[in-house]
Amino acid sequence: MKSYKVLNNKEEFRNGEFSLVPIRYEDRHLIMNWRNEQIYHLRQNKILSSEDQDNYFIHIIDNLFEQDNPSQLLFSFLQNGNCIGYGGLVHINWIDKHAEISFIMDTKLESDFFKILWIKYLELIERVAFNELLLHKIFTYAFDLRPLLYHTLEEFAYQREATLPEHCYFNGSFKDVVIHSKINKISLREVKESDLEITFNWASSEKIRQFSFNKSAISYEEHKNWFYKKITSDQCLYLILENLNGKALGSVRIDIENKDGLISYLIDDDYHRKGLGFQILNLLEQFIKQHEVPVDKLIGFVQNNNIASIRIFEKLQYEKIKDNDSLKFQKQLK
């Protein structure tokens, strides 16, 4: 089975009997038949032939697997290993971090299973979009022909963002287009006891610890004792960065003394180089102001070779001070 480089070659996204796998060559003619049967609601201007479909897979889809920023990611949608639909993220905008959702199911399943299959598919494609790619927004763009589709999206917390009157010409008449979207809100929340395991995984990660001032190995018991001490201290603010689906992406902590907050932050191994370091520190400032945390100044120490963190503090306009073999960054909040 082929896999997408941009997804770190992950081969499957599963929820019970349903799964998404990178689109399989063996499913191409099933997909062709479904597209031809449902051409009335697709942006497809002719009936596809087997030759058309073979050429599309060979010359277009094959090239997507090794690209760093592919324009689309397509998947076979399986139930117990059998292909019952296909779709993906298309028209991906890597700068603005948004993409359109595409999906069609086996035509004969639509009458009885349309809603449940759409929901199962949305659960899985959101994992790809929000948890793996960290896209900010995903949306559907559909001819105003299928009210059941819109009800399903709205029940799954998609917002009807716009109706574009007579926006597309199809089959002899102009059709409205309806756009629904969901935004991947990334936010900070206070750490909970249930975060013990994930914080230990982060603390013991070699990749994360390479820029830590304390590089000694940490046992689970040592971390557990430290963790409970921090979450019960009134001189510590310990926060988890998570996305809309509750996926933990990293953490930030400030230890407070005389209204100075000493910053420690980290980003999960899987999400490095995705701009989250800037976001977590920017959100920290907002959290302090919104919750009236008694901190007037933030301070962070960074090793000289930690270029990514240095750039983040500089971008957030921290004052930089040389401090022996490291750099000290500070920012007055009040």
Side-chain angles (χ1 to χ4, degrees):
M1 181 184 297
K2 291 189 175 182
S3 55
Y4 291 112
K5 177 182 177 182
V6 73
L7 294 175
N8 297 314
N9 297 314
K10 190 167 183 177
E11 293 184 348
E12 183 180 48
F13 299 87
R14 174 173 290 278
N15 183 0
E17 63 188 300
F18 297 96
S19 62
L20 286 182
V21 299
I23 193 166
R24 306 184 306 188
Y25 187 71
E26 66 199 72
D27 299 325
R28 68 194 186 284
H29 291 145
L30 275 177
I31 292 167
M32 177 193 71
N33 292 336
W34 300 332
R35 289 194 66 93
N36 288 339
E37 291 164 354
Q38 299 175 47
I39 194 172
Y40 72 97
H41 68 81
L42 300 174
R43 281 170 278 175
Q44 176 180 316
N45 58 15
K46 67 172 186 174
I47 296 295
L48 298 174
S49 68
S50 295
E51 183 180 3
D52 292 332
Q53 191 74 335
D54 291 349
N55 285 334
Y56 182 73
F57 269 71
I58 293 168
H59 299 296
I60 303 297
I61 289 180
D62 268 1
N63 294 327
L64 300 173
F65 292 99
E66 294 302 318
Q67 293 177 14
D68 292 324
N69 294 299
S71 61
Q72 57 183 334
L73 294 173
L74 299 176
F75 300 88
S76 295
F77 180 51
L78 312 181
Q79 182 177 19
N80 294 321
N82 298 312
C83 186
I84 59 167
Y86 102 105
L89 300 166
V90 300
H91 307 298
I92 302 173
N93 183 320
W94 294 101
I95 295 174
D96 298 324
K97 296 184 180 299
H98 61 68
E100 180 186 341
I101 300 169
S102 170
F103 179 58
I104 63 171
M105 67 184 70
D106 184 337
T107 310
K108 64 179 179 292
L109 298 176
E110 282 206 337
S111 60
D112 294 327
F113 302 103
F114 183 90
K115 181 176 180 178
I116 189 169
L117 293 181
W118 249 105
I119 288 175
K120 293 296 183 183
Y121 175 76
L122 288 171
E123 290 172 349
L124 291 167
I125 203 65
E126 284 188 16
R127 287 191 204 172
V128 178
F130 291 160
N131 294 2
E132 300 295 326
L133 301 176
L134 288 187
L135 294 180
H136 178 65
K137 177 179 178 179
I138 52 178
F139 62 93
T140 60
Y141 176 105
F143 296 158
D144 194 4
L145 300 169
R146 310 163 81 199
L148 186 57
L149 168 62
Y150 314 137
H151 297 326
T152 303
L153 289 167
E154 288 161 14
E155 287 181 26
F156 206 64
Y158 282 74
Q159 302 297 314
R160 185 181 290 233
E161 189 171 279
T163 299
L164 308 179
E166 299 188 15
H167 195 68
C168 289
Y169 185 77
F170 177 76
N171 212 17
S173 63
F174 288 95
K175 309 292 183 185
D176 292 353
V177 166
V178 181
I179 297 173
H180 285 80
S181 67
K182 183 182 279 192
I183 292 175
N184 185 20
K185 293 289 187 183
I186 294 178
S187 60
L188 290 173
R189 62 161 174 83
E190 294 192 43
V191 74
K192 301 179 289 191
E193 288 190 31
S194 58
D195 296 314
L196 174 60
E197 298 295 331
I198 185 71
T199 57
F200 173 68
N201 291 338
W202 290 334
S204 55
S205 163
E206 290 185 11
K207 187 175 180 180
I208 289 174
R209 296 192 66 77
Q210 66 178 313
F211 293 119
S212 172
F213 284 94
N214 177 12
K215 294 181 171 56
S216 302
I218 299 173
S219 71
Y220 183 79
E221 282 303 313
E222 287 173 325
H223 178 75
K224 182 177 178 181
N225 292 335
W226 173 90
F227 178 83
Y228 282 110
K229 181 179 178 181
K230 290 299 181 184
I231 67 173
T232 56
S233 171
D234 60 3
Q235 297 301 304
C236 176
L237 176 66
Y238 196 0
L239 305 169
I240 297 291
L241 182 73
E242 66 179 15
N243 72 0
L244 178 72
N245 294 334
K247 174 70 174 179
L249 307 171
S251 69
V252 62
R253 190 184 79 252
I254 55 172
D255 294 300
I256 304 169
E257 184 175 352
N258 298 324
K259 293 195 174 182
D260 287 349
L262 181 61
I263 301 170
S264 297
Y265 81 94
L266 60 86
I267 302 300
D268 187 292
D269 287 0
D270 292 336
Y271 299 104
H272 287 185
R273 297 182 298 277
K274 294 183 182 291
L276 291 180
F278 177 86
Q279 288 193 56
I280 200 170
L281 293 184
N282 189 40
L283 288 170
L284 173 64
E285 291 184 35
Q286 297 175 31
F287 190 98
I288 289 170
K289 292 173 184 176
Q290 290 169 1
H291 294 82
E292 299 182 345
V293 180
V295 170
D296 291 343
K297 182 167 65 177
L298 290 173
I299 299 170
F301 289 91
V302 181
Q303 293 181 31
N304 289 319
N305 62 342
N306 190 349
I307 304 302
S309 284
I310 290 170
R311 288 175 176 166
I312 289 166
F313 279 111
E314 289 175 340
K315 190 174 182 181
L316 287 166
Q317 300 182 326
Y318 277 68
E319 178 188 3
K320 181 167 63 174
I321 303 168
K322 179 70 176 176
D323 187 83
N324 296 322
D325 294 328
S326 63
L327 293 171
K328 178 182 178 181
F329 289 89
Q330 62 184 31
K331 186 174 190 178
Q332 202 72 33
L333 299 181
K334 297 180 181 178

